[in-house]
Amino acid sequence: MPPTTQDKRKTAPRAGSRGRAVPELIFGDLWEYDPAPETADPKLKARYDLFIGGEFTAPKAGAYFDTINPATEQKLADVALAGQADVDAAYRAAQRAFDTTWGRMPGRERAKYLYRVARLLQDRAREFAVAETLNGGKPIKESRDFDVPMAAAHFFYHAGWADKLDYVAPGRKIAPLGVVGQVIPWNFPLLMLAWKLAPALAMGNCVVIKPAETTPITALKLAEIFQQAGLPPGVVNIVTGAGETGAAVMAHPTPVKVAFTGSTEVGKVIMRSLAGTDKKMTMELGGKAANIIFDDAPLDQAVEGVVNGIFFNQGHVCCAGSRLLVHEPVADRVLAKLKNRVRVLRVGDPMDKNTDLGAINSRQQLEKIGELVDSGVKEGAEIFQPPCRLPAKGFFFRPTLFSGVTQSHRIAREEIFGPVLSILTFRTVDEAVEKANNTAYGLSAGVWTDKGSRILKLSTELKAGVIWANTFNKFDPASPFGGYKESGFGREGGRQGLLDYAKLT
Ligand code: ADP
């Protein structure tokens, strides 16, 4: 007979902690599930060309690169490497589309295309979810339940605005900017694409966009949907490649606006390259969000939110709650609960529907996470990793908790972009605010407390673009998202996001 959960509990009390001691759960093999692999066909092509002027087009220099599955390290497809001549062609197509069709089309007509894209994406949702997971490494339950539905939601939401643009800035005359250039990262390949394209298109702009080099597939699959939807040629042009292609997209003379999501380091390089031009810019850069738990918070709910905030998508989230600030009276209890929760996280095959943490997106990212975790140990923080088995191939990292972290530790200051939580403690509200704001970033924060007045106080004092209260990582296309300080500027989503793609007179 298998042991019961009760048999497997240790009940050593923890000193200095308010409330009952938290029993340590040692689940062992109790939670071994049978595999539940997703089987839908992602309908991948062996080779993906550039999407320029409504057609899949071979790159002028004939160069291709491999795109792989980070969970197996196996090649998925050849992807075109766009050079300067291809980027020039993409911008020519975008300018032509803006001048001849899209820029002149009434908003109510543009809306029809956006609705069509949203519906087609819903029709092919499972196929897209599988492609996203294969190329990016995130668990299928995330791409299926979050990324793809949210991407469709962005097209639906902005389709709804396209014929109501006069209400975006009442009393002003609103018009599209023209052609815009966009570069996106690998953590939400399809969602970032939708997030960037939908407002730009709804406003009447035409786009050249570059997905990240490790995750180009769903962007090119979305190009198939643009063809299916009959989107006029050149309204969206997709060029693939690495940093050099990205630099060519950002520095090109044609776009009147560029929008970038990625690292603060690359964001700064782009801003330097555009200094002195009159291009509009939106930058969504790094983050080091604090999740703050007060002693009156519902602790189980808070622990679940913290786990979701940092282990969701392997911590590959710029607004990840990578620092936990916990009120001293409940610090031991929260740590014990977190350890119990982390012990039962399932790490492994992203295509398994039970998997909580999938693959890290690339070897380079895996090495970066490893290096920062080593620094945490060297600098004296206490590490906890559950003893889960990792797959022999592919890029995987155990969920990691660090307690006893101080503000000077690198793991408290630098963006890790992996499943690593740094835990600090505080005694007073002011100390919590000061520690939460003691970072170069300002993208998001979370507050867990029973007191509404405290939530209101913190939401004005925390220097972050998004503040979640008694929840974390909640998104909605109607809600503007963006940062302060080194997390960037400009907002995406909602009326504010549309304004960033509009000319007002
Ligand atoms: P991350 O650390 O999230 O990978 P990066 O900033 O390195 O973020 O990459 C985000 C996107 O920026 C990717 O599409 C990448 O190819 C692109 N990129 C990298 N270097 C440059 C650059 N110098 N100019 C423009 N885009 C770049």
Side-chain angles (χ1 to χ4, degrees):
M1 205 176 78
T4 63
T5 308
Q6 198 58 43
D7 295 333
K8 297 199 155 201
R9 286 178 176 201
K10 280 193 207 163
T11 48
R14 281 158 214 277
S17 193
R18 183 178 291 177
R20 277 172 293 112
V22 178
E24 185 178 316
L25 304 183
I26 306 169
F27 288 104
D29 288 337
L30 193 62
W31 297 94
E32 279 310 318
Y33 304 162
D34 280 342
E38 168 62 58
T39 52
D41 180 0
K43 301 198 180 120
L44 300 188
K45 297 187 207 160
R47 166 181 285 200
Y48 284 93
D49 281 316
L50 308 169
F51 185 66
I52 297 178
E55 301 289 339
F56 285 99
T57 315
K60 293 208 164 41
Y64 289 83
F65 61 96
D66 291 352
T67 191
I68 66 161
N69 175 348
T72 61
E73 299 174 57
Q74 276 166 355
K75 177 174 168 178
L76 293 173
D78 285 311
V79 178
L81 179 61
Q84 185 65 49
D86 302 302
V87 173
D88 290 343
Y91 274 118
R92 274 197 303 275
Q95 190 68 60
R96 202 175 315 122
F98 180 75
D99 294 339
T100 60
T101 55
W102 200 249
R104 300 162 166 225
M105 193 183 278
R108 62 178 184 280
E109 293 301 317
R110 290 198 300 268
K112 292 179 191 167
Y113 290 100
L114 295 182
Y115 277 124
R116 224 175 280 162
V117 169
R119 283 198 214 100
L120 286 165
L121 189 53
Q122 284 184 320
D123 284 350
R124 295 173 61 179
R126 195 55 75 97
E127 172 197 335
F128 269 73
V130 172
E132 193 74 319
T133 283
L134 283 177
N135 200 196
K138 65 176 67 193
I140 186 71
K141 67 179 179 192
E142 270 175 31
S143 39
R144 181 196 62 197
D145 299 344
F146 180 72
D147 295 61
V148 177
M150 197 48 111
H154 274 265
F155 281 107
F156 274 120
Y157 173 80
H158 288 95
W161 267 118
D163 62 350
K164 304 173 192 70
L165 297 173
D166 288 341
Y167 300 95
V168 173
R172 310 279 303 271
K173 207 166 154 22
I174 194 162
L177 291 170
V179 172
V180 300
Q182 302 175 327
V183 170
I184 55 171
W186 43 261
N187 55 345
F188 293 95
L190 180 69
L191 181 56
M192 278 297 135
L193 202 76
W195 191 311
K196 288 256 183 302
L197 290 181
L201 300 190
M203 247 340 290
N205 302 285
C206 293
V207 178
V208 174
I209 187 164
K210 189 195 85 68
E213 53 272 38
T214 53
T215 52
I217 285 185
T218 44
L220 295 161
K221 284 179 74 70
L222 195 66
E224 295 169 10
I225 284 189
F226 294 147
Q227 287 184 325
Q228 253 182 304
L231 190 73
V235 172
V236 176
N237 304 276
I238 303 174
V239 291
T240 41
E244 227 171 282
T245 311
V249 170
M250 295 279 102
H252 201 277
T254 302
V256 283
K257 180 206 166 100
V258 296
F260 173 77
T261 298
S263 59
T264 297
E265 191 191 339
V266 172
K268 285 180 181 173
V269 170
I270 293 170
M271 282 189 271
R272 273 195 291 271
S273 77
L274 296 183
T277 71
D278 61 355
K279 283 185 204 297
K280 284 183 87 160
M281 268 189 256
T282 301
M283 294 274 151
E284 203 261 271
L285 308 174
K288 193 74 191 172
N291 235 322
I292 308 173
I293 301 184
F294 286 93
D295 62 353
D296 61 345
L299 293 190
D300 289 325
Q301 201 178 316
V303 164
E304 202 52 39
V306 168
V307 165
N308 174 275
I310 182 64
F311 299 125
F312 166 68
N313 199 18
Q314 297 73 246
H316 293 343
V317 188
C318 31
C319 54
S322 54
R323 288 180 300 153
L324 171 62
L325 301 183
V326 54
H327 210 169
E328 261 188 21
V330 290
D332 289 350
R333 296 194 74 211
V334 167
L335 181 61
K337 282 175 183 285
L338 270 171
K339 285 182 177 173
N340 280 344
R341 186 65 185 89
V342 166
R343 276 190 188 100
V344 293
L345 286 175
R346 305 181 61 80
V347 187
D349 180 6
M351 289 293 279
D352 191 314
K353 293 171 195 166
N354 293 319
T355 293
D356 297 309
L357 269 83
I360 301 300
N361 183 256
S362 64
R363 183 181 298 283
Q364 190 192 10
Q365 187 58 24
L366 182 66
E367 284 167 1
K368 183 182 159 201
I369 297 168
E371 194 264 320
L372 275 157
V373 165
D374 289 347
S375 83
V377 173
K378 278 200 206 101
E379 290 184 339
E382 192 179 324
I383 188 169
F384 173 82
Q385 291 177 316
C388 51
R389 281 187 297 273
L390 299 184
K393 257 196 124 33
F395 314 133
F396 291 90
F397 201 86
R398 286 191 174 80
T400 302
L401 303 177
F402 273 111
S403 50
V405 177
T406 70
Q407 296 185 82
S408 62
H409 287 159
R410 280 182 67 199
I411 53 171
R413 289 186 288 116
E414 295 180 30
E415 187 179 38
I416 302 177
F417 229 61
V420 182
L421 179 67
S422 302
I423 306 170
L424 299 91
T425 59
F426 67 88
R427 289 184 186 167
T428 63
V429 177
D430 288 345
E431 187 186 349
V433 170
E434 198 179 310
K435 283 186 169 168
N437 286 340
N438 185 10
T439 167
Y441 298 107
L443 193 54
S444 63
V447 184
W448 298 84
T449 175
D450 199 32
K451 287 191 184 60
S453 56
R454 195 180 272 163
I455 290 171
L456 291 174
K457 176 178 161 66
L458 266 80
S459 63
T460 54
E461 293 184 3
L462 292 172
K463 295 285 168 272
V466 181
I467 295 166
W468 288 290
N470 294 326
T471 187
F472 206 82
N473 269 347
K474 286 279 179 284
F475 296 90
D476 190 287
S479 173
F481 184 89
Y484 284 92
K485 302 195 278 187
E486 294 209 2
S487 292
F489 47 84
R491 292 292 178 266
E492 298 188 303
R495 206 175 59 81
Q496 291 83 346
L498 277 163
L499 284 171
D500 276 346
Y501 284 98
K503 191 159 60 187
L504 295 180
T505 47

mmCIF file of all heavy atoms in Angstrom, residues 107-123:
data_model
loop_
_atom_site.group_PDB
_atom_site.id
_atom_site.type_symbol
_atom_site.label_atom_id
_atom_site.label_comp_id
_atom_site.label_asym_id
_atom_site.label_seq_id
_atom_site.Cartn_x
_atom_site.Cartn_y
_atom_site.Cartn_z
ATOM 1 N N GLY A 107 -11.407 52.738 -40.732
ATOM 2 C CA GLY A 107 -11.175 51.847 -39.595
ATOM 3 C C GLY A 107 -12.134 50.662 -39.566
ATOM 4 O O GLY A 107 -11.754 49.546 -39.203
ATOM 5 N N ARG A 108 -13.388 50.884 -39.959
ATOM 6 C CA ARG A 108 -14.354 49.776 -39.888
ATOM 7 C C ARG A 108 -13.970 48.644 -40.847
ATOM 8 O O ARG A 108 -14.302 47.492 -40.622
ATOM 9 C CB ARG A 108 -15.773 50.274 -40.170
ATOM 10 C CG ARG A 108 -15.965 50.848 -41.535
ATOM 11 C CD ARG A 108 -17.406 51.278 -41.803
ATOM 12 N NE ARG A 108 -17.516 51.742 -43.176
ATOM 13 C CZ ARG A 108 -17.154 52.953 -43.589
ATOM 14 N NH1 ARG A 108 -16.697 53.833 -42.738
ATOM 15 N NH2 ARG A 108 -17.256 53.272 -44.868
ATOM 16 N N GLU A 109 -13.240 48.985 -41.921
ATOM 17 C CA GLU A 109 -12.779 47.941 -42.852
ATOM 18 C C GLU A 109 -11.553 47.222 -42.277
ATOM 19 O O GLU A 109 -11.447 46.009 -42.355
ATOM 20 C CB GLU A 109 -12.422 48.547 -44.222
ATOM 21 C CG GLU A 109 -13.621 49.104 -44.957
ATOM 22 C CD GLU A 109 -14.687 48.025 -45.204
ATOM 23 O OE1 GLU A 109 -14.329 46.895 -45.583
ATOM 24 O OE2 GLU A 109 -15.881 48.323 -45.002
ATOM 25 N N ARG A 110 -10.660 47.997 -41.683
ATOM 26 C CA ARG A 110 -9.485 47.365 -41.044
ATOM 27 C C ARG A 110 -9.932 46.400 -39.962
ATOM 28 O O ARG A 110 -9.366 45.326 -39.779
ATOM 29 C CB ARG A 110 -8.567 48.434 -40.430
ATOM 30 C CG ARG A 110 -7.848 49.290 -41.432
ATOM 31 C CD ARG A 110 -6.657 49.983 -40.781
ATOM 32 N NE ARG A 110 -7.003 50.851 -39.680
ATOM 33 C CZ ARG A 110 -7.262 52.155 -39.785
ATOM 34 N NH1 ARG A 110 -7.215 52.741 -40.975
ATOM 35 N NH2 ARG A 110 -7.556 52.877 -38.729
ATOM 36 N N ALA A 111 -10.973 46.788 -39.244
ATOM 37 C CA ALA A 111 -11.467 45.945 -38.147
ATOM 38 C C ALA A 111 -11.824 44.553 -38.643
ATOM 39 O O ALA A 111 -11.539 43.552 -37.968
ATOM 40 C CB ALA A 111 -12.697 46.599 -37.504
ATOM 41 N N LYS A 112 -12.402 44.475 -39.837
ATOM 42 C CA LYS A 112 -12.830 43.164 -40.348
ATOM 43 C C LYS A 112 -11.640 42.226 -40.489
ATOM 44 O O LYS A 112 -11.732 41.040 -40.207
ATOM 45 C CB LYS A 112 -13.529 43.335 -41.706
ATOM 46 C CG LYS A 112 -14.861 44.044 -41.608
ATOM 47 C CD LYS A 112 -15.483 44.194 -42.984
ATOM 48 C CE LYS A 112 -16.672 45.136 -42.918
ATOM 49 N NZ LYS A 112 -17.127 45.554 -44.246
ATOM 50 N N TYR A 113 -10.516 42.766 -40.958
ATOM 51 C CA TYR A 113 -9.323 41.916 -41.101
ATOM 52 C C TYR A 113 -8.826 41.451 -39.730
ATOM 53 O O TYR A 113 -8.425 40.315 -39.550
ATOM 54 C CB TYR A 113 -8.202 42.682 -41.816
ATOM 55 C CG TYR A 113 -8.488 42.936 -43.271
ATOM 56 C CD1 TYR A 113 -8.958 44.170 -43.697
ATOM 57 C CD2 TYR A 113 -8.295 41.937 -44.221
ATOM 58 C CE1 TYR A 113 -9.217 44.412 -45.034
ATOM 59 C CE2 TYR A 113 -8.563 42.170 -45.565
ATOM 60 C CZ TYR A 113 -9.028 43.404 -45.965
ATOM 61 O OH TYR A 113 -9.294 43.634 -47.279
ATOM 62 N N LEU A 114 -8.847 42.372 -38.777
ATOM 63 C CA LEU A 114 -8.328 42.002 -37.446
ATOM 64 C C LEU A 114 -9.227 40.944 -36.799
ATOM 65 O O LEU A 114 -8.739 40.007 -36.173
ATOM 66 C CB LEU A 114 -8.201 43.235 -36.548
ATOM 67 C CG LEU A 114 -7.185 44.282 -37.007
ATOM 68 C CD1 LEU A 114 -7.119 45.431 -36.023
ATOM 69 C CD2 LEU A 114 -5.795 43.684 -37.144
ATOM 70 N N TYR A 115 -10.539 41.100 -36.960
ATOM 71 C CA TYR A 115 -11.450 40.064 -36.432
ATOM 72 C C TYR A 115 -11.170 38.719 -37.101
ATOM 73 O O TYR A 115 -11.161 37.682 -36.455
ATOM 74 C CB TYR A 115 -12.915 40.450 -36.683
ATOM 75 C CG TYR A 115 -13.476 41.401 -35.650
ATOM 76 C CD1 TYR A 115 -14.031 42.607 -36.030
ATOM 77 C CD2 TYR A 115 -13.472 41.077 -34.291
ATOM 78 C CE1 TYR A 115 -14.555 43.491 -35.089
ATOM 79 C CE2 TYR A 115 -13.988 41.958 -33.345
ATOM 80 C CZ TYR A 115 -14.530 43.160 -33.748
ATOM 81 O OH TYR A 115 -15.039 44.012 -32.812
ATOM 82 N N ARG A 116 -10.932 38.776 -38.411
ATOM 83 C CA ARG A 116 -10.684 37.532 -39.143
ATOM 84 C C ARG A 116 -9.407 36.853 -38.627
ATOM 85 O O ARG A 116 -9.373 35.647 -38.421
ATOM 86 C CB ARG A 116 -10.533 37.877 -40.631
ATOM 87 C CG ARG A 116 -11.278 36.918 -41.529
ATOM 88 C CD ARG A 116 -11.194 37.377 -42.968
ATOM 89 N NE ARG A 116 -12.129 38.442 -43.281
ATOM 90 C CZ ARG A 116 -12.012 39.241 -44.355
ATOM 91 N NH1 ARG A 116 -11.002 39.124 -45.184
ATOM 92 N NH2 ARG A 116 -12.913 40.163 -44.595
ATOM 93 N N VAL A 117 -8.372 37.646 -38.411
ATOM 94 C CA VAL A 117 -7.108 37.090 -37.887
ATOM 95 C C VAL A 117 -7.369 36.443 -36.520
ATOM 96 O O VAL A 117 -6.935 35.325 -36.245
ATOM 97 C CB VAL A 117 -6.026 38.194 -37.783
ATOM 98 C CG1 VAL A 117 -4.821 37.706 -36.989
ATOM 99 C CG2 VAL A 117 -5.600 38.656 -39.170
ATOM 100 N N ALA A 118 -8.121 37.142 -35.665
ATOM 101 C CA ALA A 118 -8.389 36.616 -34.322
ATOM 102 C C ALA A 118 -9.144 35.289 -34.396
ATOM 103 O O ALA A 118 -8.808 34.334 -33.697
ATOM 104 C CB ALA A 118 -9.204 37.639 -33.519
ATOM 105 N N ARG A 119 -10.134 35.240 -35.284
ATOM 106 C CA ARG A 119 -10.938 34.010 -35.371
ATOM 107 C C ARG A 119 -10.138 32.859 -35.955
ATOM 108 O O ARG A 119 -10.236 31.732 -35.501
ATOM 109 C CB ARG A 119 -12.182 34.250 -36.220
ATOM 110 C CG ARG A 119 -13.239 35.017 -35.457
ATOM 111 C CD ARG A 119 -14.592 34.862 -36.127
ATOM 112 N NE ARG A 119 -15.311 36.100 -35.948
ATOM 113 C CZ ARG A 119 -15.425 37.051 -36.865
ATOM 114 N NH1 ARG A 119 -14.896 36.888 -38.061
ATOM 115 N NH2 ARG A 119 -16.078 38.144 -36.595
ATOM 116 N N LEU A 120 -9.328 33.157 -36.958
ATOM 117 C CA LEU A 120 -8.507 32.094 -37.562
ATOM 118 C C LEU A 120 -7.505 31.560 -36.536
ATOM 119 O O LEU A 120 -7.217 30.363 -36.489
ATOM 120 C CB LEU A 120 -7.779 32.620 -38.800
ATOM 121 C CG LEU A 120 -8.688 32.815 -40.019
ATOM 122 C CD1 LEU A 120 -7.999 33.671 -41.082
ATOM 123 C CD2 LEU A 120 -9.077 31.461 -40.618
ATOM 124 N N LEU A 121 -6.995 32.458 -35.714
ATOM 125 C CA LEU A 121 -6.062 32.022 -34.674
ATOM 126 C C LEU A 121 -6.783 31.121 -33.672
ATOM 127 O O LEU A 121 -6.239 30.100 -33.228
ATOM 128 C CB LEU A 121 -5.465 33.259 -33.985
ATOM 129 C CG LEU A 121 -4.312 33.049 -33.024
ATOM 130 C CD1 LEU A 121 -3.182 32.253 -33.647
ATOM 131 C CD2 LEU A 121 -3.783 34.397 -32.540
ATOM 132 N N GLN A 122 -8.006 31.460 -33.353
ATOM 133 C CA GLN A 122 -8.778 30.580 -32.465
ATOM 134 C C GLN A 122 -9.019 29.223 -33.123
ATOM 135 O O GLN A 122 -8.902 28.182 -32.482
ATOM 136 C CB GLN A 122 -10.125 31.215 -32.121
ATOM 137 C CG GLN A 122 -10.017 32.333 -31.107
ATOM 138 C CD GLN A 122 -11.381 32.861 -30.717
ATOM 139 O OE1 GLN A 122 -12.258 33.007 -31.557
ATOM 140 N NE2 GLN A 122 -11.553 33.173 -29.444
ATOM 141 N N ASP A 123 -9.349 29.243 -34.416
ATOM 142 C CA ASP A 123 -9.594 27.969 -35.124
ATOM 143 C C ASP A 123 -8.375 27.069 -35.074
ATOM 144 O O ASP A 123 -8.482 25.861 -35.003
ATOM 145 C CB ASP A 123 -9.881 28.230 -36.622
ATOM 146 C CG ASP A 123 -11.269 28.761 -36.846
ATOM 147 O OD1 ASP A 123 -12.068 28.750 -35.896
ATOM 148 O OD2 ASP A 123 -11.548 29.206 -37.985
#
